Each structure stands twice: as structure tokens, then as C-alpha cells.
Amino acid sequence: MGGSVRDVKSKAELDEVVHGGAAVALHFWASWCEASKHMDKIFSHLSTDFPHAHFLRVEAEEQPEISEAYSVSAVPFFVFCKDGKTVDTLEGADPSSLANKVAKVAGSVNPGEAASPASLGMAAGSAVLETVKEFAKDSKEKSQVQVGQSTPLKKRLQQLIDSHPIMLFMKGSPEEPQCGFSRKVVDVLKKEKVKFGSFDILSDLEVRDGIKKFSNWPTFPQLYCKGELLGGCDIAIAMHESGELHEVFKDHGIDTVDETQVSDSGNAKGGISKSTDLSTTLTSRLESLVNSSPVMLFMKGKPDEPKCGFSRKVVEILQQESVPFNSFDILTDEEVRQGLKVYSNWSSYPQLYIKGELIGGSDIVLEMQKSGELQKILHEKGILPKETIQDRLKKLIASSPVMLFMKGTPDAPRCGFSSRVVGALQEEGVDFGHFDILTDDEVRQGLKTFSNWPTFPQLYYKSELIGGCDIVMELRNNGELKSTLSE
């Protein structure tokens, strides 16, 4: 202890610390994951602010026994222990939630109190750390911290946005997208035959969090044209398919160019780089393997005996989605294991392919499943029977016991009514799933008819419609909201 992070080398070493009874925070990370690196900086700062807790770091793929014991299937992943037991977990890069959970397990706040204003979406690292320090001093007052943006940051963001007529803020680079959504927008821009600039938001946490607030758009990628935000993945695809994107570019005087000039990142499609140093024989073999099944998973181990948590997670997702797939155990063939990294321009495993196109690894597949994008692709590619809007709505409504269809996200509501319902649920300590109806017009319009309720937000409990903002507020004011959502 004493304000430092220790790397764990064995499960026995970890067990000794956890069973000691003190507060323990574990960070499971991977060297290839940029989000892990960003979160590790915050994790290190927190170890200084909470010197009486143990802060331990575990390289997930190098310590499979530990990862298995704590059910780690994606990174970054955090586990919080006290009195020898696991009391909480956190999956993903969410600095404010990390600060919140660390403060609670370290005992600086009482159960039920907020340790950091995560509900305000305070994801800026410096602001989170500032808030955590306040709680480390045992401040009992709830402070409403306004997260502003410094003039230098605003100026930098504006300069980045204006640096190219078409500017894409994405995860990764055009030749190496780090999420399926970013890859799709890159493909759209290539089909439009326009030259564009890009910025990898995984490389700069300040830009990543700052531009969410600057644009009032909580997700990535973000596509700009002549300094104006067009939207994210779904909007870019819809505009492209309708021809509207072409018209917008034309109206702004943006000319089409030769495909070789579209970006500085080459012409790799779907993450597959065709100009490699691989032998013709190996390239041919890899192409055959990738295309040997409509859905092909390159993993560690076999579906019934995965050899790492990341592979197990993707297998579970495919099984949950009832997807028929074949697999290849990369541990049995070193030539394929190393060659596929070059062939796909993707440095880790598992790797999932659909109809010969690289989808990504564990994190991306999980993200796509949560958003519904995986189902959509599987239907579009003919892997699964085409889903009706009614089928899709039923699945979305049933995806969480308490499900909120709203404008925006809980961290960044896009209307006052949605904000009030989120606030009511959080005040009552109700866990809930959510869907941003602004990102999917099919869901937005279909749900009005399906539920016979013309406005948003809409709150459901166990697939039954509770109502909108007025009803939720009435239930809360009568003290009936929590009981209604737990019957």
C-alpha cells in the first residue's frame, strides 16, 4: 500500500492480498488495449489518493488462471474486494465510475452515497481525480462540480475539427480501425470517394472526453463536414444509403477523388491488408481458413474448451445469438497464429470473421452485441433469418428487467423529460438498461406503434410498459417507483 500499483505475478500472490481483508482494487489490462493504458493512468492516481487500499494490476492474457477466477472476458476490467470477498466490478473505460467504486470500497463514503458525479458524465480524467481527492478528505457534502472546458482545449478541438473539410474522430486509424462502427464509417467515406482526415481518440484521453462535451454527442465515431457535426455510424450509413451524404458533400464543394487518394491510410478493406510479406502459400491458406465458414472464429482453444476468457466471451455471445459458426484453435498452429496477425492487421485473439470480413475481437463483438449491431449484420449477411421490427423491439424491451427508451444516454440525456426519468431512477437506486432512440429511427418510429405510446421516454418493467415521464414522476412522488420496478 502507500500509493502505488503492484503487478501481480501469480494467483497465490493475489489470494494472499485479497484474503488479508483490506480494500483491494484490481485492474485487468492488456498491452494491446489503448483504453487499458488510459485507465491505468487514472488507476495510478487513485492509488495515491487512497493509500490505505491495495491497488493491483493483472495482465489478463498473461495470467489466464487469475482472469478465469474473476470471469474476465474484456479489458479494461476492474474488480473490487473487501473482507476477502468480491464486492463490485467494472467493465470498460469509465473514469468517473472507477473513481466512484474505488472511493466506496476504500470506505471514504457511506453506502448509497455517490462518490463522484458519474450521473453528470464526468469522464474527464483531471476532473474525476479532483473529485476523488475531495472525497479522500472525508468531505460529506455533495458538491455539484461543473465540468468546463478550458479555452486552450476548446481551441484545440476546433482546430482539429477544422483541419480537414471532412474530419472523422474514430477509434484507431483508417487502416486499423479499433471498433466495427469506426470501420463502417471509413468504408462509407471510401465509397463516397472523398478525401478525409482522421483522429484516433484512443490516443488522447483529453480529446476523447473533451469532444463529447464540445459536440454534445456521447459516442464515437463522430463525422464532421466543414466544421459541422453530421453524426455517428448509423447516421453516416443512413445518409450514404439515401444519397443525402453525397448531396451534403456536393453542397459544401467537396469533390470526389481517385480511390487511392481517399485517405492516407491505404485501401485495406474490413481490416484485411493485402500487401503483406506473407508467402503466397500461407496467404492462400489463411484466405481459405477465413472463408471456410460464413462465421469463422479464430480463438485460443475450442468452443467447448476455451483457453482464455476473451475467447470464451465471444463463444458465449455467438451461442446467445444462436449463430452457427466454425472455429480454429490458433494454439495448435504457430504459423497460422502469427500469420493471421499480419494478414488481418489485427494483433490479438480472438478474431471473428463474417463472410470473410474481419469484425474484431472480444471488446468489439461485445460492444456490437450490446448495441444490436451484431444481430443487424448477421441478418444482413443472411446468417440469421431476417428479423422483423416487432421481433427486434421485443428483444430490446426484454434486454433488461427495467428498460428505458430515451433521447440520448443516462450520462448525456438529449431532452429534459429523459433527464428527469434518469434522475428519478438513479435517486431510487434502480439499475436499468437504456436505448438511445435518436440513433435508430426504425426503433424510434416502430416503438410508438408497438407500445401505442406516441412520445419518449418510455419505461418498461419485465417487458410491460410503465409509461413516460409524467407517470414515472408521479410514482416517485408517491413513493411507489422502486416497489413498482421490483415486484
Side-chain angles (χ1 to χ4, degrees):
M1 291 192 279
S4 63
V5 180
R6 195 170 97 203
D7 289 301
V8 175
K9 300 301 183 183
S10 70
K11 189 172 183 299
E13 177 189 354
L14 176 59
D15 289 344
E16 182 179 354
V17 177
V18 171
H19 293 148
V24 178
L26 292 172
H27 176 201
F28 288 87
W29 69 288
S31 58
W32 47 264
C33 179
E34 289 298 322
S36 289
K37 296 174 185 176
H38 294 313
M39 291 299 289
D40 193 54
K41 292 179 182 177
I42 295 170
F43 192 68
S44 296
H45 280 294
L46 290 170
S47 73
T48 302
D49 292 331
F50 295 92
H52 299 297
H54 293 278
F55 284 76
L56 306 177
R57 187 166 42 213
V58 179
E59 190 164 2
E61 290 187 326
E62 297 301 318
Q63 299 291 340
E65 184 183 8
I66 302 176
S67 297
E68 178 82 14
Y70 288 91
S71 302
V72 178
S73 58
V75 291
F77 187 82
F78 299 88
V79 177
F80 307 93
C81 303
K82 198 166 187 179
D83 299 324
K85 299 178 181 178
T86 298
V87 295
D88 206 352
T89 61
L90 172 66
E91 183 179 295
D94 188 340
S96 54
S97 290
L98 177 61
N100 188 350
K101 292 175 184 290
V102 165
K104 285 183 178 180
V105 77
S108 62
V109 293
N110 296 321
E113 292 182 357
S116 66
S119 60
L120 298 179
M122 285 183 51
S126 59
V128 170
L129 296 174
E130 193 174 318
T131 306
V132 171
K133 288 175 183 177
E134 291 178 7
F135 280 98
K137 295 174 184 176
D138 291 324
S139 169
K140 295 183 180 179
E141 297 180 1
K142 291 184 178 179
S143 57
Q144 293 184 341
V145 182
Q146 296 298 320
V147 182
Q149 289 180 340
S150 64
T151 299
L153 177 57
K154 285 184 178 179
K155 184 176 180 181
R156 185 184 176 207
L157 293 174
Q158 193 63 62
Q159 288 175 338
L160 284 171
I161 290 169
D162 295 337
S163 62
H164 293 81
I166 300 175
M167 187 65 184
L168 178 64
F169 291 83
M170 63 181 291
K171 293 182 179 179
S173 61
E175 67 272 16
E176 293 185 58
Q178 294 297 309
C179 81
F181 305 107
S182 294
R183 176 179 293 113
K184 282 179 173 291
V185 177
V186 169
D187 287 344
V188 162
L189 295 174
K190 288 179 178 179
K191 290 174 183 175
E192 292 284 345
K193 296 183 179 179
V194 290
K195 193 171 183 179
F196 65 96
S198 68
F199 185 91
D200 179 5
I201 54 91
L202 297 178
S203 68
D204 193 313
L205 189 61
E206 183 182 47
V207 170
R208 178 178 184 172
D209 293 315
I211 203 165
K212 290 181 183 179
K213 300 175 182 66
F214 185 87
S215 63
N216 196 24
W217 193 272
T219 59
F220 293 100
Q222 293 182 15
L223 180 63
Y224 292 78
C225 178
K226 291 291 181 77
E228 179 182 347
L229 176 66
L230 297 182
C233 178
D234 286 346
I235 290 176
I237 291 173
M239 291 179 70
H240 168 66
E241 291 176 347
S242 69
E244 184 181 356
L245 192 58
H246 175 76
E247 292 301 317
V248 168
F249 291 156
K250 184 178 178 182
D251 291 343
H252 284 83
I254 295 171
D255 298 323
T256 57
V257 296
D258 293 338
E259 192 172 348
T260 55
Q261 299 176 328
V262 166
S263 74
D264 297 329
S265 57
N267 302 318
K269 182 180 180 183
I272 307 294
S273 176
K274 296 304 181 185
S275 56
T276 70
D277 295 327
L278 300 177
S279 68
T280 303
T281 302
L282 179 55
T283 300
S284 176
R285 185 184 176 207
L286 293 173
E287 286 180 350
S288 296
L289 283 171
V290 165
N291 291 282
S292 62
S293 174
V295 180
M296 189 67 188
L297 177 64
F298 292 84
M299 61 180 289
K300 293 181 179 180
K302 301 176 181 179
D304 53 349
E305 291 184 55
K307 296 297 185 182
C308 77
F310 304 103
S311 294
R312 174 179 288 104
K313 186 63 179 179
V314 176
V315 168
E316 288 174 354
I317 289 171
L318 293 174
Q319 291 174 341
Q320 288 166 6
E321 301 293 340
S322 301
V323 180
F325 69 97
N326 286 343
S327 67
F328 186 93
D329 180 1
I330 53 95
L331 298 177
T332 65
D333 193 313
E334 190 65 17
E335 183 183 49
V336 170
R337 179 178 186 172
Q338 301 303 329
L340 193 61
K341 292 179 183 180
V342 178
Y343 176 85
S344 65
N345 202 17
W346 196 271
S347 61
S348 61
Y349 291 99
Q351 293 182 17
L352 179 66
Y353 294 77
I354 297 180
K355 291 291 184 74
E357 179 181 346
L358 176 66
I359 300 300
S362 173
D363 287 350
I364 290 176
V365 175
L366 179 60
E367 180 183 348
M368 292 177 70
Q369 184 197 33
K370 288 180 177 178
S371 69
E373 184 70 14
L374 183 60
Q375 275 270 351
K376 188 176 179 181
I377 288 178
L378 290 167
H379 290 302
E380 289 175 351
K381 298 288 188 180
I383 307 298
L384 296 178
K386 187 164 180 61
E387 186 179 43
T388 66
I389 182 59
Q390 287 78 14
D391 291 335
R392 188 177 173 212
L393 292 174
K394 287 178 182 177
K395 287 182 181 178
L396 283 172
I397 291 169
S399 62
S400 177
V402 180
M403 188 66 187
L404 177 64
F405 292 83
M406 62 181 290
K407 294 181 179 180
T409 65
D411 283 345
R414 301 290 289 275
C415 78
F417 301 109
S418 294
S419 180
R420 290 175 66 193
V421 172
V422 167
L425 293 172
Q426 291 177 337
E427 286 171 14
E428 296 292 335
V430 175
D431 292 327
F432 63 97
H434 67 277
F435 186 90
D436 180 2
I437 53 94
L438 297 179
T439 65
D440 194 314
D441 199 53
E442 183 183 50
V443 171
R444 181 179 186 175
Q445 300 303 329
L447 196 59
K448 293 178 183 179
T449 304
F450 183 86
S451 64
N452 196 26
W453 193 273
T455 60
F456 293 97
Q458 293 183 18
L459 182 66
Y460 291 78
Y461 177 59
K462 292 185 176 178
S463 297
E464 294 292 330
L465 177 66
I466 300 298
C469 181
D470 289 344
I471 291 177
V472 172
M473 292 301 106
E474 183 179 347
L475 288 169
R476 185 199 63 177
N477 294 338
N478 292 339
E480 300 174 355
L481 181 57
K482 192 163 188 176
S483 61
T484 298
L485 300 177
S486 58
E487 292 175 350

